[in-house]
PDB file of all heavy atoms in Angstrom:
ATOM      1  N   ILE A 339      17.783 -27.194 -12.852  1.00 95.00           N
ATOM      2  CA  ILE A 339      18.355 -25.894 -13.057  1.00 95.00           C
ATOM      3  C   ILE A 339      17.872 -25.208 -14.313  1.00 95.00           C
ATOM      4  O   ILE A 339      17.467 -24.081 -14.411  1.00 95.00           O
ATOM      5  CB  ILE A 339      19.919 -25.983 -13.078  1.00 95.00           C
ATOM      6  CG1 ILE A 339      20.407 -26.446 -11.671  1.00 95.00           C
ATOM      7  CG2 ILE A 339      20.486 -24.645 -13.358  1.00 95.00           C
ATOM      8  CD1 ILE A 339      21.873 -26.820 -11.701  1.00 95.00           C
ATOM      9  N   SER A 340      17.824 -25.963 -15.453  1.00 96.00           N
ATOM     10  CA  SER A 340      17.288 -25.474 -16.697  1.00 96.00           C
ATOM     11  C   SER A 340      15.875 -25.032 -16.590  1.00 96.00           C
ATOM     12  O   SER A 340      15.535 -23.888 -17.108  1.00 96.00           O
ATOM     13  CB  SER A 340      17.480 -26.466 -17.783  1.00 96.00           C
ATOM     14  OG  SER A 340      16.923 -25.963 -18.901  1.00 96.00           O
ATOM     15  N   ALA A 341      15.062 -25.747 -15.858  1.00 96.00           N
ATOM     16  CA  ALA A 341      13.698 -25.408 -15.762  1.00 96.00           C
ATOM     17  C   ALA A 341      13.472 -24.121 -14.930  1.00 96.00           C
ATOM     18  O   ALA A 341      12.655 -23.250 -15.188  1.00 96.00           O
ATOM     19  CB  ALA A 341      12.916 -26.572 -14.986  1.00 96.00           C
ATOM     20  N   ALA A 342      14.285 -23.910 -13.848  1.00 97.00           N
ATOM     21  CA  ALA A 342      14.225 -22.696 -13.064  1.00 97.00           C
ATOM     22  C   ALA A 342      14.681 -21.515 -13.980  1.00 97.00           C
ATOM     23  O   ALA A 342      14.083 -20.426 -13.900  1.00 97.00           O
ATOM     24  CB  ALA A 342      15.230 -22.799 -11.888  1.00 97.00           C
ATOM     25  N   LYS A 343      15.709 -21.662 -14.744  1.00 98.00           N
ATOM     26  CA  LYS A 343      16.174 -20.566 -15.615  1.00 98.00           C
ATOM     27  C   LYS A 343      15.059 -20.254 -16.604  1.00 98.00           C
ATOM     28  O   LYS A 343      14.711 -18.994 -16.839  1.00 98.00           O
ATOM     29  CB  LYS A 343      17.440 -20.930 -16.381  1.00 98.00           C
ATOM     30  CG  LYS A 343      18.666 -21.113 -15.525  1.00 98.00           C
ATOM     31  CD  LYS A 343      19.820 -21.444 -16.410  1.00 98.00           C
ATOM     32  CE  LYS A 343      21.094 -21.675 -15.716  1.00 98.00           C
ATOM     33  NZ  LYS A 343      22.233 -22.091 -16.561  1.00 98.00           N
ATOM     34  N   GLU A 344      14.455 -21.171 -17.256  1.00 98.00           N
ATOM     35  CA  GLU A 344      13.431 -20.918 -18.238  1.00 98.00           C
ATOM     36  C   GLU A 344      12.228 -20.303 -17.601  1.00 98.00           C
ATOM     37  O   GLU A 344      11.500 -19.516 -18.222  1.00 98.00           O
ATOM     38  CB  GLU A 344      13.136 -22.259 -18.968  1.00 98.00           C
ATOM     39  CG  GLU A 344      14.275 -22.646 -19.939  1.00 98.00           C
ATOM     40  CD  GLU A 344      14.725 -21.570 -20.854  1.00 98.00           C
ATOM     41  OE1 GLU A 344      13.876 -20.872 -21.511  1.00 98.00           O
ATOM     42  OE2 GLU A 344      15.914 -21.346 -20.791  1.00 98.00           O
ATOM     43  N   HIS A 345      11.890 -20.657 -16.323  1.00 97.00           N
ATOM     44  CA  HIS A 345      10.851 -20.020 -15.676  1.00 97.00           C
ATOM     45  C   HIS A 345      11.094 -18.516 -15.568  1.00 97.00           C
ATOM     46  O   HIS A 345      10.262 -17.644 -15.883  1.00 97.00           O
ATOM     47  CB  HIS A 345      10.660 -20.603 -14.246  1.00 97.00           C
ATOM     48  CG  HIS A 345       9.791 -19.819 -13.329  1.00 97.00           C
ATOM     49  ND1 HIS A 345       8.348 -19.858 -13.499  1.00 97.00           N
ATOM     50  CD2 HIS A 345      10.028 -18.917 -12.327  1.00 97.00           C
ATOM     51  CE1 HIS A 345       7.864 -18.986 -12.647  1.00 97.00           C
ATOM     52  NE2 HIS A 345       8.818 -18.486 -11.888  1.00 97.00           N
ATOM     53  N   LEU A 346      12.224 -18.195 -15.080  1.00 98.00           N
ATOM     54  CA  LEU A 346      12.670 -16.769 -14.999  1.00 98.00           C
ATOM     55  C   LEU A 346      12.576 -16.079 -16.416  1.00 98.00           C
ATOM     56  O   LEU A 346      12.152 -14.912 -16.485  1.00 98.00           O
ATOM     57  CB  LEU A 346      14.077 -16.631 -14.389  1.00 98.00           C
ATOM     58  CG  LEU A 346      14.244 -17.138 -12.953  1.00 98.00           C
ATOM     59  CD1 LEU A 346      15.696 -17.061 -12.583  1.00 98.00           C
ATOM     60  CD2 LEU A 346      13.392 -16.206 -12.015  1.00 98.00           C
ATOM     61  N   CYS A 347      13.121 -16.764 -17.404  1.00 98.00           N
ATOM     62  CA  CYS A 347      13.067 -16.208 -18.739  1.00 98.00           C
ATOM     63  C   CYS A 347      11.666 -15.932 -19.253  1.00 98.00           C
ATOM     64  O   CYS A 347      11.313 -14.870 -19.846  1.00 98.00           O
ATOM     65  CB  CYS A 347      13.841 -17.022 -19.746  1.00 98.00           C
ATOM     66  SG  CYS A 347      15.662 -17.128 -19.493  1.00 98.00           S
ATOM     67  N   GLY A 348      10.796 -16.933 -18.978  1.00 98.00           N
ATOM     68  CA  GLY A 348       9.401 -16.824 -19.323  1.00 98.00           C
ATOM     69  C   GLY A 348       8.755 -15.578 -18.648  1.00 98.00           C
ATOM     70  O   GLY A 348       8.022 -14.853 -19.353  1.00 98.00           O
ATOM     71  N   GLU A 349       9.024 -15.523 -17.357  1.00 97.00           N
ATOM     72  CA  GLU A 349       8.419 -14.276 -16.641  1.00 97.00           C
ATOM     73  C   GLU A 349       9.051 -12.994 -17.208  1.00 97.00           C
ATOM     74  O   GLU A 349       8.251 -11.994 -17.380  1.00 97.00           O
ATOM     75  CB  GLU A 349       8.867 -14.327 -15.056  1.00 97.00           C
ATOM     76  CG  GLU A 349       8.132 -15.322 -14.332  1.00 97.00           C
ATOM     77  CD  GLU A 349       8.448 -15.152 -12.818  1.00 97.00           C
ATOM     78  OE1 GLU A 349       9.602 -14.802 -12.544  1.00 97.00           O
ATOM     79  OE2 GLU A 349       7.516 -15.412 -11.938  1.00 97.00           O
ATOM     80  N   GLU A 350      10.314 -12.968 -17.547  1.00 97.00           N
ATOM     81  CA  GLU A 350      10.878 -11.738 -18.096  1.00 97.00           C
ATOM     82  C   GLU A 350      10.178 -11.379 -19.514  1.00 97.00           C
ATOM     83  O   GLU A 350       9.893 -10.226 -19.681  1.00 97.00           O
ATOM     84  CB  GLU A 350      12.395 -11.939 -18.263  1.00 97.00           C
ATOM     85  CG  GLU A 350      13.109 -10.677 -18.605  1.00 97.00           C
ATOM     86  CD  GLU A 350      13.147  -9.653 -17.505  1.00 97.00           C
ATOM     87  OE1 GLU A 350      13.127 -10.042 -16.280  1.00 97.00           O
ATOM     88  OE2 GLU A 350      13.278  -8.425 -17.812  1.00 97.00           O
ATOM     89  N   ILE A 351      10.018 -12.302 -20.244  1.00 97.00           N
ATOM     90  CA  ILE A 351       9.401 -12.105 -21.640  1.00 97.00           C
ATOM     91  C   ILE A 351       7.985 -11.527 -21.426  1.00 97.00           C
ATOM     92  O   ILE A 351       7.590 -10.585 -22.019  1.00 97.00           O
ATOM     93  CB  ILE A 351       9.402 -13.403 -22.418  1.00 97.00           C
ATOM     94  CG1 ILE A 351      10.861 -13.792 -22.803  1.00 97.00           C
ATOM     95  CG2 ILE A 351       8.529 -13.247 -23.646  1.00 97.00           C
ATOM     96  CD1 ILE A 351      10.977 -15.129 -23.409  1.00 97.00           C
ATOM     97  N   ILE A 352       7.241 -12.233 -20.552  1.00 97.00           N
ATOM     98  CA  ILE A 352       5.854 -11.823 -20.403  1.00 97.00           C
ATOM     99  C   ILE A 352       5.742 -10.372 -19.760  1.00 97.00           C
ATOM    100  O   ILE A 352       5.133  -9.479 -20.282  1.00 97.00           O
ATOM    101  CB  ILE A 352       5.060 -12.798 -19.463  1.00 97.00           C
ATOM    102  CG1 ILE A 352       4.938 -14.167 -20.147  1.00 97.00           C
ATOM    103  CG2 ILE A 352       3.734 -12.201 -19.047  1.00 97.00           C
ATOM    104  CD1 ILE A 352       4.496 -15.295 -19.299  1.00 97.00           C
ATOM    105  N   CYS A 353       6.578 -10.167 -18.800  1.00 96.00           N
ATOM    106  CA  CYS A 353       6.517  -8.835 -18.039  1.00 96.00           C
ATOM    107  C   CYS A 353       7.098  -7.739 -18.975  1.00 96.00           C
ATOM    108  O   CYS A 353       6.581  -6.567 -18.869  1.00 96.00           O
ATOM    109  CB  CYS A 353       7.367  -8.915 -16.793  1.00 96.00           C
ATOM    110  SG  CYS A 353       6.577  -9.921 -15.465  1.00 96.00           S
ATOM    111  N   SER A 354       8.068  -8.066 -19.867  1.00 94.00           N
ATOM    112  CA  SER A 354       8.618  -7.015 -20.674  1.00 94.00           C
ATOM    113  C   SER A 354       7.739  -6.448 -21.727  1.00 94.00           C
ATOM    114  O   SER A 354       8.056  -5.482 -22.389  1.00 94.00           O
ATOM    115  CB  SER A 354       9.894  -7.634 -21.339  1.00 94.00           C
ATOM    116  OG  SER A 354       9.644  -8.613 -22.192  1.00 94.00           O
ATOM    117  N   GLU A 355       6.542  -7.141 -21.906  1.00 93.00           N
ATOM    118  CA  GLU A 355       5.580  -6.583 -22.841  1.00 93.00           C
ATOM    119  C   GLU A 355       4.896  -5.271 -22.281  1.00 93.00           C
ATOM    120  O   GLU A 355       4.171  -4.667 -22.998  1.00 93.00           O
ATOM    121  CB  GLU A 355       4.377  -7.624 -23.033  1.00 93.00           C
ATOM    122  CG  GLU A 355       4.993  -8.851 -23.731  1.00 93.00           C
ATOM    123  CD  GLU A 355       5.279  -8.661 -25.259  1.00 93.00           C
ATOM    124  OE1 GLU A 355       4.573  -8.014 -25.958  1.00 93.00           O
ATOM    125  OE2 GLU A 355       6.324  -9.266 -25.769  1.00 93.00           O
ATOM    126  N   GLU A 356       5.053  -5.044 -20.945  1.00 95.00           N
ATOM    127  CA  GLU A 356       4.424  -3.908 -20.322  1.00 95.00           C
ATOM    128  C   GLU A 356       5.485  -2.819 -20.054  1.00 95.00           C
ATOM    129  O   GLU A 356       6.575  -3.003 -19.605  1.00 95.00           O
ATOM    130  CB  GLU A 356       3.852  -4.368 -18.953  1.00 95.00           C
ATOM    131  CG  GLU A 356       2.778  -5.363 -19.118  1.00 95.00           C
ATOM    132  CD  GLU A 356       2.257  -5.873 -17.716  1.00 95.00           C
ATOM    133  OE1 GLU A 356       2.744  -5.205 -16.720  1.00 95.00           O
ATOM    134  OE2 GLU A 356       1.356  -6.655 -17.695  1.00 95.00           O
TER     135      GLU A 356
END
Side-chain angles (χ1 to χ4, degrees):
I339 296 173
S340 177
K343 291 181 184 179
E344 289 310 306
H345 168 76
L346 294 173
C347 289
E349 282 189 329
E350 189 68 31
I351 291 169
I352 293 170
C353 293
S354 66
E355 296 290 319
E356 299 179 2

